[in-house]
Amino acid sequence: DQQVKQNSPSLSVQEGRISILNCDYTNSMFDYFLWYKKYPAEGPTFLISISSIKDKNEDGRFTVFLNKSAKHLSLHIVPSQPGDSAVYFCAASLNTGTASKLTFGTGTRLQVTL
Amino acid sequence: DGGITQSPKYLFRKEGQNVTLSCEQNLNHDAMYWYRQDPGQGLRLIYYSQIVNDFQKGDIAEGYSVSREKKESFPLTVTSAQKNPTAFYLCASEDLVYGALHFGNGTRLTVT
């Protein structure tokens, strides 16, 4: 049972445009959400997070939106750059204070074209 | 430079052999984790340790073992009991202040 789903395995966006990566979850008990970025042959790196008490968190070109009623999370990258080409994983956590209850999605491969 | 070091990057083993993957961190994090990544799947938790000399099974612990004798080190042994050991293995430590995981660059294990 996949509790965190990224239904788009891949996405292609032109440089300078907006990239929108989506993530749906089924467990309403999740209360902390994170996005990780992964380049080939490297480990994921933390990108941005959001607590369930917020509906938006922004960090530079990256903004995460949370719609709790729809159990939907999205990551917006504006403007997209070629260096953003990577696999993006969303992850959801139960509030246990540790990552031991972190559930990852299957990832979306973003390709930013020139 | 603080970080997580996994070695080796690529590992090849014959079926039936145990193999140990190394993970070292100098971030002074208490908690460390092992994940497995397979094509088309998210990262799945194998084992985690929140403190030295203690560790817990994750979602897919069967066929794996770990030890945590030092804060800096969390080696993972893939035993011959693991039915599908070929995968990309990621080690991570946790920054409890920001609630984020710091990952190593992974070890790709191929068992033939």
Side-chain angles (χ1 to χ4, degrees):
Chain A
D1 176 32
Q2 190 70 29
Q3 294 190 68
V4 178
K5 297 178 187 177
Q6 294 177 256
N7 291 317
S8 298
S10 64
L11 175 68
S12 183
V13 170
Q14 215 168 13
E15 182 181 11
R17 305 268 190 168
I18 184 171
S19 294
I20 301 177
L21 294 94
N22 293 306
C23 180
D24 296 296
Y25 61 95
T26 57
N27 189 344
S28 57
M29 300 298 290
F30 286 139
D31 60 1
Y32 192 66
F33 304 88
L34 307 94
W35 283 94
Y36 286 85
K37 175 180 175 177
K38 184 182 180 302
Y39 292 117
E42 292 184 13
T45 53
F46 169 71
L47 197 55
I48 192 168
S49 63
I50 188 167
S51 163
S52 62
I53 62 172
K54 294 186 174 182
D55 53 20
K56 177 182 172 181
N57 189 26
E58 195 170 347
D59 183 2
R61 296 185 297 114
F62 302 92
T63 303
V64 56
F65 294 93
L66 176 62
N67 182 333
K68 286 193 295 288
S69 60
K71 297 195 185 75
H72 179 80
L73 189 68
S74 63
L75 173 69
H76 292 211
I77 307 173
V78 184
S80 300
Q81 298 174 354
D84 296 330
S85 298
V87 176
Y88 290 79
F89 291 97
C90 69
S93 176
L94 298 171
N95 186 18
T96 62
T98 77
S100 59
K101 297 297 181 188
L102 198 61
T103 301
F104 283 86
T106 53
T108 295
R109 181 177 303 279
L110 172 66
Q111 180 73 38
V112 179
T113 59
L114 298 171
Chain B
D1 240 305
I4 311 267
T5 302
Q6 287 187 246
S7 60
K9 192 165 182 164
Y10 299 96
L11 194 51
F12 298 88
R13 278 294 182 270
K14 295 282 188 192
E15 198 174 312
Q17 291 179 335
N18 291 355
V19 60
T20 297
L21 283 60
S22 167
C23 178
E24 304 278 329
Q25 56 109 350
N26 60 4
L27 298 166
N28 201 33
H29 290 166
D30 285 312
M32 296 186 74
Y33 299 80
W34 274 104
Y35 288 90
R36 169 180 171 143
Q37 187 189 5
D38 295 282
Q41 297 204 37
L43 280 66
R44 293 183 291 165
L45 182 62
I46 304 172
Y47 265 98
Y48 64 98
S49 167
Q50 293 181 324
I51 198 165
V52 174
N53 292 322
D54 186 50
F55 47 82
Q56 307 293 331
K57 291 182 180 180
D59 301 318
I60 55 166
E62 188 176 343
Y64 298 98
S65 66
V66 292
S67 63
R68 187 84 189 277
E69 295 175 5
K70 297 186 300 182
K71 188 175 186 177
E72 303 79 18
S73 178
F74 190 40
L76 173 75
T77 297
V78 184
T79 76
S80 55
Q82 167 49 234
K83 291 187 172 63
N84 296 298
T86 295
F88 187 56
Y89 290 88
L90 285 160
C91 178
S93 68
E94 184 175 15
D95 181 342
L96 289 174
V97 174
Y98 294 103
L101 289 168
H102 294 254
F103 285 90
N105 283 333
T107 292
R108 185 165 296 282
L109 173 65
T110 303
V111 176
T112 56

